[in-house]
Amino acid sequence: MRLEAITWERLAEAVAERVLTTTAQDGSPWLRVGVDGAPAARPGELAERIGDVLRLRGRGVLVVGTGGFLRPASLRYEYGREDPDAYYGSWFDTGALWREVFGPLEAGGSGRVLPDLWDPATDRATRSAPVRLPAGGVLVLHGPFLLGHWFPFDLTAHLRLSPGALERRTDERERWTLPAYARYEDEVRPAESADVLVRADDPRHPAWGGLP
């Protein structure tokens, strides 16, 4: 795929404009956007930019990070604190994401989304109250390993880092996670399955493959 230079501002504008002309595939009154990428690629920053543009266009928006849906430490660290396979398959509570985030946004759902569930710092439930997303509103979910779970996204973007850039931009204390991202690339091929591909090797100069 040929990639063209773009700014983060223009990228957020383009994605938001596409969202405004998109209809939920399942007939739901809400739209669900996924911004997939390793923490080093800063998917949360793009998600917030998209959310800001949509709010300026008059849409209700809820930006949610999968970091608030980690499993308890007893489950995450069952095979040790630095097990890349556990990080890939067991750290994030996909069941809770289905139940608390996507379920309420199905056709006929309540629209009441839980913004987070678990605080990894305290290893306790956050006890956050659900947030009601109005009809016509947009969920923007960001985090790693979002693709491959059959989450009902209406639009997805993948922030790709080359293996070298991923290693350089990942904190040394977190480099034990790198094999998990290699496995994700091999098994899910997110660059091919996402609607929007963004190369983020240089955070100052992203490039993208356009919109489908």
Side-chain angles (χ1 to χ4, degrees):
M1 177 185 294
R2 181 178 179 180
L3 301 179
E4 298 180 353
I6 193 170
T7 65
W8 292 112
E9 292 81 5
R10 285 176 51 215
L11 176 62
E13 289 272 357
V15 173
E17 289 296 334
R18 173 55 62 90
V19 170
L20 291 172
T21 60
T22 298
T23 302
Q25 299 176 21
D26 64 353
S28 166
W30 302 280
L31 289 170
R32 295 138 300 194
V33 177
V35 181
D36 175 64
R42 305 174 187 171
E45 293 183 10
L46 178 57
E48 292 290 353
R49 287 180 184 272
I50 295 169
D52 288 343
V53 176
L54 288 169
R55 291 185 188 99
L56 288 173
R57 302 293 192 274
R59 288 295 186 96
V61 179
L62 180 61
V63 178
V64 175
T66 58
F69 287 85
L70 293 175
R71 289 192 169 97
S74 60
L75 298 177
R76 299 199 310 273
Y77 302 146
E78 183 177 2
Y79 301 104
R81 289 180 174 268
E82 297 185 355
D83 185 295
D85 289 328
Y87 176 65
Y88 178 69
S90 303
W91 274 45
F92 297 93
D93 194 340
T94 55
L97 286 167
W98 274 105
R99 183 178 66 252
E100 306 292 352
V101 177
F102 291 107
L105 301 182
E106 294 176 350
S110 67
R112 292 172 56 83
V113 176
L114 195 66
D116 51 56
L117 178 64
W118 199 260
D119 183 344
T122 62
D123 200 35
R124 295 178 182 273
T126 59
R127 301 187 184 279
S128 295
V131 176
R132 184 180 293 279
L133 192 61
V138 182
L139 166 75
V140 186
L141 180 68
H142 63 86
F145 313 134
L146 288 185
L147 307 178
H149 295 293
W150 301 101
F151 288 147
F153 290 120
D154 300 294
L155 187 68
T156 55
H158 172 64
L159 304 187
R160 185 183 185 278
L161 294 176
S162 67
L166 178 60
E167 183 173 1
R168 288 193 305 272
R169 293 177 57 186
T170 298
D171 187 280
E172 186 174 354
R173 294 168 297 180
E174 304 298 326
R175 287 182 181 170
W176 62 269
T177 63
L178 295 178
Y181 296 110
R183 179 180 170 187
Y184 182 57
E185 288 284 341
D186 183 59
E187 294 183 358
V188 178
R189 299 185 180 277
E192 299 174 16
S193 55
D195 297 310
V196 180
L197 173 62
V198 182
R199 186 181 64 203
D201 287 0
D202 184 342
R204 300 166 299 176
H205 304 290
W208 76 322
L211 285 160

